[in-house]
Amino acid sequence: DAMVIQNPRYQVTQFGKPVTLSCSQTLNHNVMYWYQQKSSQAPKLLFHYYDKDFNNEADTPDNFQSRRPNTSFCFLDIRSPGLGDAAMYLCATSRDPGLAASYNEQFFGPGTRLTVL
Amino acid sequence: RKEVEQDPGPFNVPEGATVAFNCTYSNSASQSFFWYRQDCRKEPKLLMSVYSSGNEDGRFTAQLNRASQYISLLIRDSKLSDSATYLCVVHTGGFKTIFGAGTRLFVKA
């Protein structure tokens, strides 16, 4: 089945120790998104890639970076995790939303729950 | 004012009840609307898309009122398995998608 996969599902890191979260997709979608979701809050978009074009949200801290080496994979790098970065990180994909309204639908991976000690 | 606002609930209803959630959005140029369901500590999953005035899928009905800028979700004959958080999602153009904070539903036997 076509899907969005995230690894690891649970990640524990130490304060200030860099961490990388991984997302892969078999949907062949143009767009990949990274969201941060804290308890009882809405998912907050950090950035997205449209093919190789990277788009950062204005309020995303510099501590968060991303890489997309190919269509299938996208990585979230947290350079110096703080206690406030503990959250669920969700990867999502979509087709090109400019082509049709239905292409705005996003498909989510199961998320990586990050704990910062 | 938040771009997408939902009543956080929680809504506590008995099995078989009908329950309705509302969601308001601030950007009148918003183009697409979705309801996602999110179970505790899981990812959001698409429940319904709303492109015109409304959409119905079994026990679920979503309606869109562009003039008043709100979307609603009606769940009929609630099941225990409907217990979850329901996220209202608004696509405002380009790649901009705004999530509401969600409405929690508890269905009790």
Side-chain angles (χ1 to χ4, degrees):
Chain A
D1 287 342
M3 56 174 44
V4 182
I5 301 163
Q6 290 188 245
N7 285 303
R9 295 292 308 278
Y10 301 90
Q11 176 73 59
V12 180
T13 191
Q14 292 180 334
F15 182 93
K17 185 174 181 181
V19 66
T20 294
L21 309 183
S22 168
C23 177
S24 63
Q25 54 131 341
T26 60
L27 297 162
N28 203 32
H29 283 172
N30 300 95
V31 192
M32 296 186 77
Y33 309 80
W34 278 104
Y35 289 87
Q36 179 193 66
Q37 187 177 27
K38 296 185 177 181
S39 181
S40 300
Q41 296 184 21
K44 178 181 179 298
L45 182 64
L46 297 173
F47 24 60
H48 75 269
Y49 271 96
Y50 175 55
D51 292 330
K52 290 187 177 294
D53 292 335
F54 176 71
N55 296 271
N56 202 28
E57 292 298 299
D59 57 354
T60 298
D62 292 340
N63 197 25
F64 292 88
Q65 303 286 319
S66 186
R67 296 170 284 135
R68 189 179 185 185
N70 54 53
T71 300
S72 301
F73 284 87
C74 195
F75 300 98
L76 170 62
D77 300 308
I78 308 177
R79 293 193 295 190
S80 181
L83 298 179
D85 297 328
M88 172 82 93
Y89 289 87
L90 294 161
C91 174
T93 73
S94 76
R95 288 174 283 187
D96 185 340
L99 296 180
S102 62
Y103 286 11
N104 298 334
E105 177 187 342
Q106 294 185 19
F107 297 79
F108 284 85
T112 295
R113 185 163 296 277
L114 178 68
T115 299
V116 182
L117 301 177
Chain B
R1 181 185 175 189
K2 292 181 181 178
E3 292 184 85
V4 177
E5 291 202 70
Q6 295 183 248
D7 182 342
F11 284 61
N12 293 287
V13 302
E15 274 189 293
T18 295
V19 61
F21 308 137
N22 285 329
C23 169
T24 59
Y25 60 95
S26 61
N27 188 335
S28 60
S30 297
Q31 301 169 352
S32 308
F33 309 88
F34 305 90
W35 283 101
Y36 279 75
R37 171 197 169 125
Q38 187 171 27
D39 292 293
C40 188
R41 302 174 77 85
K42 298 287 182 85
E43 75 274 24
K45 293 187 177 178
L46 181 69
L47 180 65
M48 297 187 77
S49 306
V50 189
Y51 300 122
S52 56
S53 61
N55 192 14
E56 183 172 328
D57 183 4
R59 297 183 294 109
F60 299 85
T61 301
Q63 290 194 314
L64 168 64
N65 185 319
R66 286 189 184 272
S68 301
Q69 294 181 207
Y70 80 81
I71 316 113
S72 63
L73 177 67
L74 183 76
I75 305 175
R76 290 180 296 276
D77 189 22
S78 299
K79 313 291 185 190
L80 294 176
S81 57
D82 293 334
S83 297
T85 297
Y86 291 84
L87 299 168
C88 173
V89 181
V90 176
H91 183 257
T92 58
F95 300 94
K96 191 71 173 176
T97 299
I98 309 296
F99 283 75
T103 298
R104 297 195 70 186
L105 172 66
F106 294 100
V107 181
K108 300 186 176 181

